[in-house]
Amino acid sequence: MSKPDATAPPAENAVSPAAAGAADAAHHRHIRSFVVRAGRMTQAQERAWRELWPRLGLDRSDQLFDFGALFGREAPVVFEVGFGNGEALVALAAAHPERNFVGLEVHPPGVGHLLLQCEAARLANVRIVCDDAVEVLQRRVADATLDELLLYFPDPWPKKRHHKRRIVQPAFVALVARKLKPGGVLRMATDWQPYAEHMLATAAQCAGLVNAAADGQYVERPASRPLTRFERRGQRLGHGVWDLAFIRR
Ligand SMILES: C[S@@+](CC[C@H](N)C(=O)[O-])C[C@H]1O[C@@H](n2cnc3c(N)ncnc32)[C@H](O)[C@@H]1O
């Protein structure tokens, strides 16, 4: 597959027609958990895409990731799916220089924002993917290679007719379980109670995972989890927050 222009966000039209066709076909094999918003990029974010993406971004490809080669060292690998503007990821990566972090997000301005934060904090342990995390997990991540997968405040898709768009589905949870190392952890948080209940029921049914909560319910908010933009928004709206942790058997 030809590489997208490394200086431009990998929008569907930033890859060759053949590659875009293949990517599109792959995308349409499952219902997407997101809608690509037209969101405007600031000048600083455009610069980040031009200057920082070539160093920190992982271009589209069908090759499996070789995390040791990507980071230049062997270290535990943590994925954050749907990092938004990347605030939590930057805080985690700064607090854990001994871990390698890969952030996945489909919204190019959010990626630009994270690139800028990585530059400002001089982080060497973050790499970024701008693509559908479901596709990336399926095609680019070898089984039993992740130490943690973080899914913080995924879009709740509250309307019943949209529930099929929720990223947390039995097939997604089984996919994540396969990609985690034994003892690896899937951590989720949401401020939408019906989604929390759906996450709990879905993960509990996955044979490869066991709930870290002794009572089979939710876990305490981990002190290590930074506050995210969506969590702050939820707090302003008076929402509760539910944290979940499931361990790969
Ligand atoms: C509600 S926002 C939460 C963002 C961030 N985690 C936070 O707490 O502030 C959900 C994010 O997930 C991203 N997203 C949804 N589905 C995705 C997917 N399949 N792959 C990558 N990102 C996805 C969306 O673009 C959006 O930025």
Side-chain angles (χ1 to χ4, degrees), residues 1-6 9-25 60:
M1 186 187 285
S2 64
K3 272 192 171 184
D5 175 358
E12 298 301 72
N13 60 2
V15 293
S16 72
D24 263 359
R60 277 188 183 158

Side-chain angles (χ1 to χ4, degrees), residues 81-130:
V81 168
F83 59 71
N85 70 5
E87 245 176 295
L89 187 50
V90 165
L92 280 171
H96 296 281
E98 77 289 358
R99 303 187 133 214
N100 290 335
F101 291 84
V102 178
L104 300 99
E105 175 56 61
V106 289
H107 190 50
V111 171
H113 195 265
L114 175 58
L115 286 166
L116 291 169
Q117 292 179 87
C118 288
E119 179 186 46
R122 297 170 182 269
L123 293 176
N125 57 340
V126 177
R127 297 291 181 275
I128 306 172
V129 175
C130 189

Side-chain angles (χ1 to χ4, degrees), residues 157-166:
W157 292 106
K159 291 184 184 153
K160 193 155 188 230
R161 70 175 189 277
H162 288 151
H163 284 183
K164 57 182 180 290
R165 283 188 168 274
R166 289 173 169 173

Side-chain angles (χ1 to χ4, degrees), residues 233-249:
R233 178 180 160 273
Q235 285 178 341
R236 280 198 305 274
L237 296 170
H239 294 177
V241 171
W242 293 264
D243 275 274
L244 301 92
F246 281 78
I247 302 169
R248 178 77 172 105
R249 288 182 201 277

Side-chain angles (χ1 to χ4, degrees), residues 27-220:
H27 275 311
H28 285 101
R29 280 202 288 275
H30 70 90
I31 297 166
R32 291 179 180 196
S33 56
F34 57 90
V35 174
V36 180
R37 289 161 283 149
R40 213 186 264 155
M41 195 101 74
T42 64
Q43 281 191 352
Q45 288 165 356
E46 281 178 7
R47 179 192 67 80
W49 268 100
R50 269 193 321 274
E51 295 179 7
L52 306 175
W53 175 265
R55 189 159 46 86
L56 303 179
L58 305 179
D59 287 326
R60 277 188 183 158
S61 142
D62 280 326
Q63 303 267 309
L64 283 180
F65 291 127
D66 174 348
F67 296 117
L70 287 176
F71 288 92
R73 65 171 185 176
E74 299 296 335
V77 178
V78 181
F79 266 37
E80 185 180 0
V81 168
F83 59 71
N85 70 5
E87 245 176 295
L89 187 50
V90 165
L92 280 171
H96 296 281
E98 77 289 358
R99 303 187 133 214
N100 290 335
F101 291 84
V102 178
L104 300 99
E105 175 56 61
V106 289
H107 190 50
V111 171
H113 195 265
L114 175 58
L115 286 166
L116 291 169
Q117 292 179 87
C118 288
E119 179 186 46
R122 297 170 182 269
L123 293 176
N125 57 340
V126 177
R127 297 291 181 275
I128 306 172
V129 175
C130 189
D131 206 349
D132 182 344
V134 178
E135 295 285 326
V136 173
L137 285 166
Q138 285 172 341
R139 295 206 312 260
R140 304 209 56 196
V141 179
D143 289 354
T145 51
L146 303 184
D147 291 82
E148 278 189 32
L149 188 138
L150 313 176
L151 185 61
Y152 292 153
F153 304 90
D155 301 287
W157 292 106
K159 291 184 184 153
K160 193 155 188 230
R161 70 175 189 277
H162 288 151
H163 284 183
K164 57 182 180 290
R165 283 188 168 274
R166 289 173 169 173
I167 196 166
V168 176
Q169 304 289 347
F172 175 76
V173 174
L175 175 66
V176 173
R178 239 186 12 257
K179 302 302 166 185
L180 288 171
K181 292 177 186 167
V185 188
L186 164 62
R187 297 187 191 280
M188 301 183 278
T190 180
D191 64 344
W192 189 249
Q193 187 169 6
Y195 200 15
E197 289 164 2
H198 169 80
M199 287 172 168
L200 186 62
T202 308
Q205 278 166 19
C206 178
L209 296 175
V210 61
N211 194 336
D215 64 356
Q217 293 291 306
Y218 303 97
V219 294
E220 289 291 317

